[in-house]
Amino acid sequence: MTFAGLTVAYWAVLVAALLPVGCAGLAKWGMVAVARREGGYDNHNPRAWLARQSDWRARANAAQANSFEALPLFIGAVIIAHQLGAHQTRLDLLAFLFVVLRLVYILLYVADQATARSAVWTLALAVNIAILFA
């Protein structure tokens, strides 16, 4: 199945590539309008500001880093599966499932549900490997 010339799996790659941006926005949520001198977001030194955060903001930032880390294997798996002529419906479903699992992972990370988060991470990795061999 294609939309605008791209398969669902390729659209899933785009969504997965935007997940870190969403995590960054979440980490900064509500602090952009707060003055720097009052602890608000510091766009002049954003990494230092994020490093000083705690609780859910720090976890959102960590989810951002993990989302970047998950991208290369996912992108590579989707491209390889396409190149090898994987069954398109299966590939699309697996890629969609990967993105859903990554969204759940991010939510669990921010909510500090470590055990469930690790289980979902493992499932997403298994789906990614399944894509590679689809």
Side-chain angles (χ1 to χ4, degrees), residues 12 33 43 46 62 66 72 99 105 108 129:
N43 198 39
N66 187 271
V99 170
Y105 170 86
L108 290 170
I129 292 168

Side-chain angles (χ1 to χ4, degrees), residues 6-17:
L6 295 177
T7 65
V8 170
Y10 281 142
W11 281 107
V13 167
L14 175 61
V15 172

Side-chain angles (χ1 to χ4, degrees), residues 113-126:
Q113 300 296 311
T115 303
R117 177 193 84 217
S118 294
V120 170
W121 181 92
T122 303
L123 284 173
L125 177 62

Side-chain angles (χ1 to χ4, degrees), residues 36 39-42 45-55 58:
R36 278 188 295 164
Y41 177 67
D42 182 0
N45 200 353
R47 291 183 185 199
W49 182 85
L50 283 166
R52 290 191 303 273
Q53 300 312 299
S54 60
D55 297 325

